[in-house]
Amino acid sequence: MSSPRRSAVLSGAHFMDGNHAACEGAIAAGANFAAGYPITPSTEIVERFASRAPLVGATFLQMEDELASSIAILGAAWGGAKAFTVTSGPGFSLMMEHIGFAAMTETPCVFVNVQRGGPSTGLPTLPAQADMMQARWGSHGDYEIIALCPNSPQECFNLMIDAFNFSEQYRNPVLLMMDESVGHMTEKVVIPPADQIDIIPRRYTSKAPSEYLPFKPASDDVPEMARVGEGYHFHVTGLTHDEHGYPSMEWQTQEALVGRLVGKIRAHADDLTRTEEKQLEDAEIVLVAYGISSRVALWALQKAREEGLRVGLLRPIVVWPFPEKRIRELAQRVKAFVVVELNYGQMVREVERAAAGRARTILVPHAGGAVHPPESIVKVLREVGS
Amino acid sequence: MPAATTGVKARKFRGEVFITEDRCKECGFCIEFCPPKVLEFSKEFNRHGYHPPILVNEAGCTGCDLCGLYCPDFAIYGLRVPVESPAATASAAGVSPLGNDASGVERVRQGGGI
Amino acid sequence: MSVMVPFNPVEPFLRSERMPHIWCSGCGIGTTVNCFARALAESKLPLDKVAIVSGIGCTGRVAGYLNLDSFHTTHGRAIPFATGLKLANPELTVVVYSGDGDLIAIGGNHFIHAARRNVDIKVICINNFIYGMTGGQVAPTTPVGATATTAPYGCFERPFNLPYLAESSGAVYVARWTAYHVRYIAHSMAEALRKKGFSFIEILAPCPTLYQRRNKLGDGLETMRYYKQHSVIRHGANTRDLNLDFQGEITLGKFVDIERPTLQQTMGQRFRQVLRERYAG
Ligand code: SF4
Ligand code: SF4
Ligand code: SF4
């Protein structure tokens, strides 16, 4: 663990929106490179970074498109930087290939998606949570992803730091899946002193070039990185590669590589899982919601409790890997899960899969463009509870 | 390794050409663009079924290394060797005659050609 | 009599354990790699500080064969990857080595923007007028009248004139050679390696397997002979005049060699001027 540069961290209490807080989280995490392409409703993050970067020793470049942004950060990461990019909606679709490239080449990096209504151009200025499955499966091929969902500006700050730390620890792309409401919501954000922020440094090898194999995993399945320009002469490719990093078209190499890429995250799913739970002790019905929807669901929970319904709330903070173990445990004793999300059924599939028929799973859908009317959730809770 | 070639008494350097036969893919570039035309296709096959070049006029090779520059398969190169110190010494020790400095390029330039 | 030795002088620049490479007999890519190795030697750059970035395609495999820090990236995106790499690690000399389809078709947007910004990278484009690895499809460089698997009746689109595109986008060094002109290539590459700013070298090279065979132009050697006979060197020629017609005359040379502040210099200047001591760069 190390700490970020003191002068870069705006320690103290602020009143700022989620987008600005996410930018400050990146700076506090030690991010020194960002590339982006303007897209609503995420743009304030890079606008702020563009103004802050020269003051904190970082670099920002507005690229010609999202394809360029999403790979410029990977070049920067291999150049030694802690790098991120930011996008929304259509831009997220354009970045998919490089999320896969980052997973395949085990490049530490952070992608931020401030979700808006879709499909296509959809609702540029309004919220949705309909990219959750794209976050998990959007790039072709088999890989695992880590994705976090903040529900407040404070959490945008905090989770941005976690996102960078996870990306370094697992050498994997990490997604911060915000939504328009959280991005544009202004609240109190407390930025701690720099020395209270824990930063996981890059896992550079101490081996000599002659002993180093770039993609030979350490004990936790994650290989160490070499610094560019130091004589390691390593090779990085998006092709299926062996421990030397050299392409190999053998199924055995594919099996070993993909097995490890998937395994290094799955094996640590318990370490990665993070949830917030409210009133689950006696709950018969569990609301499952993340991001802005968790705040609406909390209002519904309180209303339902007033009416005597035994309702609790489970909020996945790390959404991928999905907290399926926790759902499985709860499914043994609760009657139903009510999933509240701004889409027509995405994470609900995960809940249903983990519940495996032991408890009912009901979706309260919403196509986005606004948050759920809280009453619509309460109505479902009443029906399920009766 | 032969001794200094006969018939070139006045020269301080002689040319030598080195061929890694099994890398050759028989494109013919080296044979075509060798200025003194001292290479030909061998009648023998290499491991992959290609005919690699052979040096047919030992005295004629100037060591200009144009063959080396043209070969797309890194299968051949020429070297100018001082008559009294055979290049094979450096080669056998596994040290590249070009190495990491520009001396090799100077040599290439001296070779003439294009 | 020749002596069999296990390496040749380019060996220190190659990943010898990966030989033989995948390129076809008579393919021009390997010849240019030879020239690049000589250019690296001539440039006297410390090899540890040279990084090579390729995209996808036959030429995209160059990165994997060079004994440098090397990055084989996604299709068309070598230049933005290289941009990030260079900005994050300015002491590296960053070379992009890729094909015409990769750099100019799918990657064309990045090409013009990197030239406009004057990112300090060196772009080597092997132009064989066709998509090689995917099987001979038409490219934005295919001359009018030449056939390709996806232009079976002949190409009817005007191709790009790459030196003109590079110069008008802002490149500070622009040259064109053919794979026949090995010494010129090596010299040009060495110049580009020393040059500060977006440097571009186009090298016409045979793709006997797809372009030449499909167009009944013979093999790699035949193409090299063609280059020898039909090229004229006109240094400083106006890049507007460098269109390539099907089997027409080929104008070669160094066309542009100017000074212009690089992206990193303009960035630093701007921040110092506006932010003064607040600039942390
Ligand atoms: S070194 Fe020059 S003269 Fe000798 S074989 Fe090669 S091209 Fe011919
Ligand atoms: S240039 Fe190389 S590959 Fe071609 S014939 Fe000569 S040795 Fe063989
Ligand atoms: S297909 Fe064409 S470009 Fe590709 S290796 Fe073969 S000859 Fe070269």
Side-chain angles (χ1 to χ4, degrees):
Chain A
M1 291 279 177
S2 63
S3 298
R5 238 171 69 189
R6 188 175 296 272
S7 59
V9 181
L10 294 183
S11 305
H14 304 265
F15 191 58
M16 59 170 68
D17 74 13
N19 281 352
H20 287 78
C23 175
E24 288 307 322
I27 292 168
N32 53 2
F33 188 94
Y37 185 83
I39 190 161
T40 306
S42 70
T43 315
E44 294 88 350
I45 303 178
V46 288
E47 285 173 344
R48 187 177 178 105
F49 197 79
S51 94
R52 292 270 283 138
L55 308 177
V56 300
T59 300
F60 170 71
L61 206 55
Q62 181 173 315
M63 299 300 285
E64 49 274 18
D65 57 27
E66 285 88 350
L67 302 160
S69 309
S70 57
I71 198 156
I73 64 163
L74 307 182
W78 281 100
K82 296 185 79 156
F84 71 107
T85 187
V86 175
T87 194
S88 295
F92 195 52
S93 293
L94 289 174
M95 289 186 179
M96 284 302 133
E97 184 179 8
H98 292 145
I99 290 175
F101 182 71
M104 186 62 146
T105 55
E106 301 182 71
T107 308
C109 58
V110 174
F111 288 75
V112 180
N113 176 8
V114 185
Q115 295 173 87
R116 68 189 219 185
S120 190
T121 313
L123 299 167
T125 60
L126 296 167
Q129 297 176 314
D131 307 344
M132 301 306 295
M133 282 293 166
Q134 186 184 20
R136 173 64 189 87
W137 303 106
S139 200
H140 57 279
D142 259 330
Y143 63 101
E144 281 283 332
I145 205 75
I146 300 171
L148 296 83
C149 261
N151 78 347
S152 68
Q154 179 69 54
E155 218 173 43
C156 291
F157 174 87
N158 296 351
L159 294 191
M160 195 69 174
I161 297 170
D162 292 327
F164 272 98
N165 282 344
F166 286 148
S167 81
E168 298 294 346
Q169 188 175 350
Y170 296 101
R171 281 190 62 180
N172 211 72
V174 177
L175 312 182
L176 186 70
M177 297 295 289
M178 296 167 54
D179 54 67
E180 186 277 334
S181 300
V182 168
H184 286 157
M185 163 196 294
T186 301
E187 283 183 343
K188 184 178 172 184
V189 174
V190 178
I191 299 182
D195 56 15
Q196 286 173 25
I197 298 171
D198 284 332
I199 302 297
I200 297 182
R202 185 146 303 167
R203 299 171 62 160
Y204 283 121
T205 188
S206 53
K207 290 198 174 82
S210 58
E211 287 156 22
Y212 172 71
L213 283 177
F215 291 92
K216 187 181 163 70
S219 56
D220 61 351
D221 272 354
V222 181
E224 294 175 330
M225 282 178 87
R227 286 177 205 271
V228 72
E230 301 283 312
Y232 286 87
H233 298 189
F234 57 82
H235 184 54
V236 176
T237 176
L239 284 167
T240 294
H241 48 272
D242 59 20
E243 292 183 346
H244 288 92
Y246 293 161
S248 159
M249 299 298 110
E250 309 284 334
W251 69 264
Q252 292 92 339
T253 316
Q254 169 79 354
E255 182 66 48
L257 176 62
V258 175
R260 185 174 63 71
L261 293 180
V262 166
K264 73 177 179 181
I265 305 297
R266 289 191 187 166
H268 296 97
D270 287 349
D271 305 335
L272 282 159
T273 295
R274 203 184 302 168
T275 58
E276 185 191 21
E277 305 188 348
K278 287 204 190 300
Q279 297 182 265
L280 284 183
E281 302 74 24
D282 64 339
E284 283 185 330
I285 305 169
V286 179
L287 285 158
V288 181
Y290 52 90
I292 189 60
S293 299
S294 67
R295 296 176 71 141
V296 185
L298 187 60
W299 188 95
L301 179 153
Q302 281 153 1
K303 189 87 173 62
R305 281 274 171 182
E306 279 164 26
E307 294 179 14
L309 293 165
R310 281 154 58 189
V311 177
L313 172 70
L314 177 78
R315 173 169 78 97
I317 297 171
V318 173
V319 280
W320 300 115
F322 185 72
E324 56 185 74
K325 204 172 179 181
R326 188 65 185 127
I327 297 284
R328 234 179 357 255
E329 285 161 10
L330 290 169
Q332 313 280 2
R333 63 173 171 86
V334 305
K335 215 161 104 182
F337 294 101
V338 173
V339 182
V340 182
E341 50 184 350
L342 287 179
N343 58 52
Y344 258 75
Q346 296 196 10
M347 300 310 286
V348 67
R349 292 161 177 266
E350 286 297 288
V351 176
E352 195 163 25
R353 183 176 66 80
R358 291 196 180 80
R360 279 179 69 195
T361 304
I362 299 113
L363 169 69
V364 190
H366 191 297
V371 297
H372 288 78
E375 262 306 325
S376 68
I377 305 168
V378 180
K379 198 168 141 247
V380 174
L381 292 173
R382 277 189 208 113
E383 283 162 20
V384 176
S386 61
Chain B
M1 173 63 55
T5 341
T6 54
V8 286
K9 269 178 251 145
R11 286 164 62 179
K12 290 209 179 74
F13 294 92
R14 65 193 160 80
E16 277 202 41
V17 64
F18 300 88
I19 302 162
T20 313
E21 290 182 353
D22 283 339
R23 278 193 188 170
C24 174
K25 292 181 190 152
E26 205 184 329
C27 69
F29 293 0
C30 57
I31 296 171
E32 175 90 5
F33 300 122
C34 166
K37 303 275 182 234
V38 297
L39 299 169
E40 267 178 21
F41 283 122
S42 165
K43 303 229 161 10
E44 308 294 316
F45 291 100
N46 71 8
R47 195 197 307 168
H48 304 287
Y50 293 110
H51 296 287
I54 50 162
L55 181 66
V56 290
N57 175 0
E58 204 177 288
C61 172
T62 62
C64 69
D65 193 37
L66 261 185
C67 51
L69 263 165
Y70 276 111
C71 177
D73 289 87
F74 320 113
I76 187 169
Y77 73 99
L79 203 57
R80 293 184 78 208
V81 200
V83 177
E84 58 279 9
S85 71
T89 319
S91 304
V95 181
S96 161
L98 179 54
N100 218 344
D101 61 47
S103 60
V105 172
E106 290 309 313
R107 197 165 50 235
V108 168
R109 280 182 164 172
Q110 286 161 13
I114 323 169
Chain C
M1 181 194 132
S2 62
V3 180
M4 308 304 297
V5 287
F7 59 81
N8 89 17
V10 297
E11 221 69 14
F13 303 91
L14 299 177
R15 294 193 165 111
S16 304
E17 69 273 28
R18 299 206 59 222
M19 297 298 144
H21 54 57
I22 61 161
W23 298 313
C24 309
S25 170
C27 175
I29 299 170
T31 301
T32 71
V33 172
N34 251 322
C35 300
F36 185 63
R38 264 91 174 168
L40 281 173
E42 190 185 328
S43 73
K44 292 196 162 63
L45 289 167
L47 292 189
D48 290 353
K49 298 294 180 194
V50 180
I52 181 138
V53 184
S54 288
I56 296 298
C58 293
T59 315
R61 294 303 187 94
V62 167
Y65 293 128
L66 284 168
N67 186 20
L68 302 168
D69 287 337
S70 58
F71 302 93
H72 179 222
T73 64
T74 53
H75 196 17
R77 320 298 167 204
I79 287 177
F81 183 97
T83 300
L85 184 65
K86 177 67 185 178
L87 286 180
N89 208 320
E91 62 175 32
L92 298 176
T93 298
V94 178
V95 180
V96 170
Y97 212 127
S98 221
D100 49 314
D102 186 69
L103 287 169
I104 307 299
I106 186 169
N109 196 29
H110 311 311
F111 180 84
I112 59 174
H113 283 279
R116 172 182 66 78
R117 296 182 177 110
N118 201 20
V119 187
D120 184 15
I121 57 177
K122 295 91 195 43
V123 178
I124 296 166
C125 175
I126 306 304
N127 180 3
N128 48 26
F129 304 126
I130 207 152
Y131 282 80
M133 194 164 275
T134 46
Q137 295 79 21
V138 71
T141 46
T142 308
V144 171
T147 65
T149 53
T150 48
Y153 310 112
C155 174
F156 43 79
E157 296 178 22
R158 193 181 102 141
F160 270 129
N161 165 348
L162 301 187
Y164 184 38
L165 179 68
E167 181 182 21
S168 42
S169 304
V172 294
Y173 183 100
V174 179
R176 175 198 277 160
W177 302 106
T178 81
Y180 168 71
H181 297 82
V182 284
R183 289 211 205 286
Y184 287 104
I185 300 173
H187 180 72
S188 220
M189 286 173 165
E191 275 189 348
L193 284 168
R194 286 188 298 260
K195 184 86 188 167
K196 283 263 162 275
F198 188 91
S199 306
F200 176 67
I201 304 174
E202 174 187 21
I203 304 170
L204 310 186
C207 168
T209 305
L210 296 161
Y211 183 74
Q212 270 77 26
R213 186 173 57 89
R214 173 164 287 278
N215 286 288
K216 305 200 168 32
L217 301 175
D219 59 6
L221 182 57
E222 198 53 42
T223 309
M224 295 287 268
R225 286 191 193 117
Y226 183 86
Y227 292 156
K228 184 179 175 182
Q229 287 155 12
H230 295 267
S231 299
V232 287
I233 297 176
R234 285 166 53 217
H235 292 299
N238 189 334
T239 55
R240 279 173 189 274
D241 304 331
L242 299 180
N243 287 325
L244 294 170
D245 298 326
F246 183 60
Q247 293 302 94
E249 187 184 86
I250 304 165
T251 304
L252 306 176
K254 179 170 80 174
F255 311 116
V256 178
D257 191 352
I258 58 166
E259 301 300 322
R260 187 159 77 85
T262 65
L263 170 67
Q264 264 156 323
Q265 287 167 336
T266 56
M267 187 187 278
Q269 276 160 10
R270 168 63 49 177
F271 291 153
R272 265 188 301 278
Q273 186 189 330
V274 178
L275 299 169
R276 297 174 191 280
E277 64 288 349
R278 291 166 66 214
Y279 176 39

